[in-house]
Amino acid sequence: MRRAPTRTACLVATVLLTALAGAPGPAVARDLPDTYVVSRAPGVLPEGIAVTPDGTLYVSSDGTGALYRGHIGRTDLRPFPARGLEGRTSTLGVHTDRRGRVLSVGGATLTVHDRHGRLLATRTAVGGPLGAPDLNDLTVTKDAVYVTDWANPVVYRADLRGGTLGPLEPWLDIREAFPQFPARYWLLNGIVANESGTTLLVASNGTEAVWRVDTADRTVTRLSLGEQSFGPDGMVLRGRTLYAVLNYGAPHGVYIARLDEELRTGTVTHRLTGEPFDLPTTLARHGCRLYVVNSQLDEPPGRPPYTVSAVDDPTCRTP
């Protein structure tokens, strides 16, 4: 959920990865907006997004660190009164849990807010092998929160016990899966978990790949999608369907893949590119619609208004 890597990083990835080689949903709502305005203030640069079961939207700002809230039935979002974010100048990943809490990351911190904006917890990541962390995205399972680091090839983990969040600690140095790849170019991005929390999928912009992690023994393997390169930004996993936003090395847009039962291999079945996307960074799914953030991060500070585009999910069946 950061900007695309340099061309040098991607060339390195291509060479090294080559060497390494070895269900029905509800009807699409036709009366909902196609575009949502996150903010009309200069420099917001939206980045992450979450949609709750009741249709509440949360969007993060890479430009200011703020959070915004709205509803899928209304076109405009408003600032979310999240306390305790004053010192965080950039907020990237944002997700909600089953209790309706809002979890977000940026800089070195993971924060948890209730639906009213009251700060419930702050956890700070220690520096990684390359220096200060730059937390990028997160996923929430029944017993943990997993967080990626753009600046270090590290996945962090915080235990969830009875709704209480434990310390945010280094959990996996992902370099072991591809030790010959330069550490500074891993550029970890989106992260998702299956429903049981036994498997993680971690996007790496630098390696232009998605990596599968077994949470029981931390074994890391590359997800095979039959593509020369597939390095997503944000992702959503629903059952065996992976939704991924690509914004470098391929036409910008949403790519949808059908995976095998063990989430080891898959095939890209749909590509949604072109209009209305403006450097999309990530997405959320609600009903039969995909909500895609238009970041404008390729030309900061961008040009207001900053928006989210809603498109139909082509994997859904309608009556």
Side-chain angles (χ1 to χ4, degrees), residues 9 11-21 153 173-183 185-186 204 206-209 211 220-222:
L11 288 174
V12 172
T14 300
V15 172
L16 291 177
L17 280 174
T18 300
L20 181 70
D173 187 327
I174 203 166
R175 289 177 295 179
E176 65 187 47
F178 196 180
Q180 61 267 53
F181 192 81
Y185 288 144
W186 269 91
S204 165
T207 63
E208 295 190 37
W211 299 87
V220 184
T221 55
R222 185 188 178 195

Side-chain angles (χ1 to χ4, degrees), residues 65-278:
L67 291 169
Y68 294 83
R69 181 173 61 187
H71 190 272
I72 60 172
R74 299 187 294 270
T75 58
D76 284 42
L77 282 70
R78 296 181 177 180
F80 176 55
R83 299 174 178 85
L85 294 184
E86 296 80 10
R88 194 160 81 188
T89 58
S90 172
T91 298
L92 301 179
V94 57
H95 286 271
T96 59
D97 67 8
R98 297 174 183 176
R99 298 170 179 255
R101 299 180 298 185
V102 182
L103 297 89
S104 62
V105 294
T109 63
L110 160 67
T111 56
V112 184
H113 292 86
D114 67 16
R115 65 191 65 195
H116 305 294
R118 184 168 64 96
L119 182 63
L120 303 178
T122 299
R123 300 292 182 264
T124 302
V126 299
L130 303 183
D134 186 4
L135 304 183
N136 197 329
D137 199 11
L138 68 155
T139 189
V140 184
T141 69
K142 61 183 178 181
D143 61 359
V145 179
Y146 296 91
V147 182
T148 56
D149 187 345
W150 175 259
N152 293 276
V154 172
V155 176
Y156 295 85
R157 184 182 191 273
D159 284 341
L160 274 176
R161 296 180 181 177
T164 300
L165 187 68
L168 184 62
E169 300 175 328
W171 178 76
L172 172 69
D173 187 327
I174 203 166
R175 289 177 295 179
E176 65 187 47
F178 196 180
Q180 61 267 53
F181 192 81
R184 67 185 181 278
Y185 288 144
W186 269 91
L187 306 175
L188 298 186
N189 219 315
I191 183 170
V192 292
N194 64 352
E195 187 173 355
S196 64
T198 58
T199 302
L200 305 176
L201 297 179
V202 180
S204 165
N205 271 167
T207 63
E208 295 190 37
V210 176
W211 299 87
R212 180 191 185 277
V213 182
D214 187 318
T215 59
D217 60 12
R218 309 185 202 187
T219 300
V220 184
T221 55
R222 185 188 178 195
L223 173 66
S224 175
L225 292 172
E227 299 275 322
Q228 184 175 0
S229 66
F230 193 89
D233 199 329
M235 302 185 294
V236 167
L237 181 64
R238 180 175 179 265
R240 292 166 52 193
T241 302
L242 177 67
Y243 303 84
V245 170
L246 271 66
N247 52 33
Y248 189 85
H252 297 179
V254 178
Y255 291 66
I256 304 173
R258 184 65 174 170
L259 309 184
D260 70 342
E261 291 185 1
E262 294 187 343
L263 308 182
R264 296 182 184 276
T265 65
T267 301
V268 177
T269 58
H270 299 84
R271 296 171 175 83
L272 312 178
T273 61
E275 296 291 341
F277 304 132
D278 189 352

